């Protein structure tokens, strides 16, 4: 029995599924690069159009981008984290929850509560079926579009959030009104 217990423990530890982080170290590194003009204004990052999401203490989801997170870091969190990069890693890989009270002092991007209907559907379908339901083939080769025809306005942010936590990004083409879905790795190539 004494020989079996360590073997069982070893098998248990290595059989547990390890969750892949939402953003790799390289992705976080790229998102954290912020350059300033001589007057202190930020140059637009090539990732400023990438929707990012963080959690807020009152069970809301915060839609943001790397510039807004940089301002939050500079204004409120620079003492808690050694660098902007470590702050981004904590927010984007769901290890840190933002304080909603800080949002009153500045106009930030919107926050929302998850739509319970979409949340229940996501849980029951699993991600692969969820993706299949809310996407459609694009006229662009090997790409998907968000199937907005079946998404109500109150469900849109929740659908995008569930894609986000499963390492998919949605890019909006305002000119033709289509939302393209792509794997996170493709956003950082």
């Amino acid at each position: 029995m004494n020989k079996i217990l360590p073997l069982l423990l070893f098998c248990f530890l290595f059989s547990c599924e390890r969750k892949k982080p939402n953003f790799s170290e390289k992705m976080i590194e790229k998102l954290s690069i912020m350059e300033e003009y001589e007057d202190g204004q930020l140059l637009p990052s090539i990732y400023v159009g990438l929707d990012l999401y963080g959690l807020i203490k009152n069970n809301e989801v915060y839609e943001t981008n790397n510039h807004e997170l940089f301002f939050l870091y500079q204004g409120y969190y620079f003492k808690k984290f050694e660098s902007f990069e470590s702050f981004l890693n904590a927010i984007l890989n769901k290890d840190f929850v933002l304080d909603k009270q800080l949002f009153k002092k500045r106009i930030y991007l919107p926050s929302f509560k998850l739509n319970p209907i979409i949340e229940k559907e996501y849980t029951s379908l699993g991600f692969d079926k969820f993706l299949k339901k809310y996407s459609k083939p694009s006229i662009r080769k090997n790409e998907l579009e968000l199937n907005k025809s079946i998404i109500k306005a109150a469900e849109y942010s929740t659908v995008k959030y569930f894609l986000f936590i499963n390492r998919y990004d949605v890019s909006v083409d305002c000119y033709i009104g289509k939302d393209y879905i792509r794997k996170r790795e493709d956003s950082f190539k």
Side-chain angles (χ1 to χ4, degrees), residues 49-72:
L50 184 64
D51 289 338
L52 304 174
Y53 296 86
L55 299 177
I56 301 174
K57 286 187 179 176
N58 63 350
N59 293 325
E60 288 185 24
V61 177
Y62 171 59
E63 182 181 339
T64 187
N65 60 46
N66 61 335
H67 280 234
E68 289 293 327
L69 288 173
F70 183 70
F71 293 128
L72 274 176

Side-chain angles (χ1 to χ4, degrees), residues 5 12 45-48 66-67 72 92 108 123 155 158 165 184:
L5 187 59
F12 175 73
S45 162
I46 61 171
Y47 300 106
V48 74
N66 61 335
H67 280 234
L72 274 176
L92 298 176
Y108 290 102
T123 304
E155 300 170 340
T158 303
I165 64 171
R184 172 94 13 91

Side-chain angles (χ1 to χ4, degrees), residues 36-42:
E36 296 181 18
Y37 290 109
E38 288 180 18
D39 65 357
Q41 297 292 320
L42 282 182

Side-chain angles (χ1 to χ4, degrees), residues 128-157:
D128 291 335
K129 290 180 183 174
F130 182 85
L131 176 63
K132 191 171 188 166
K133 177 177 180 176
Y134 288 103
S135 66
K136 62 183 182 180
S138 173
I139 59 170
R140 293 180 177 179
K141 191 175 182 179
N142 299 322
E143 287 196 28
L144 294 174
E145 291 177 21
L146 199 59
N147 189 358
K148 295 192 297 188
S149 66
I150 64 166
I151 302 171
K152 296 176 185 166
E155 300 170 340
Y156 180 74
S157 293

Side-chain angles (χ1 to χ4, degrees), residues 9 24 34 51 63 66 77 84 90 99 101 135 141 152 155 157 162 165 171 183 188:
L9 183 60
S24 70
M34 293 288 158
D51 289 338
E63 182 181 339
N66 61 335
Y77 293 107
F84 178 52
D99 187 356
Q101 294 175 0
S135 66
K141 191 175 182 179
K152 296 176 185 166
E155 300 170 340
S157 293
F162 284 124
I165 64 171
S171 61
K183 290 186 178 183
F188 286 87

Side-chain angles (χ1 to χ4, degrees), residues 89-100:
N89 187 49
I91 297 292
L92 298 176
N93 288 320
K94 295 173 69 169
D95 293 326
F96 187 74
V97 178
L98 296 164
D99 187 356
K100 173 94 177 191

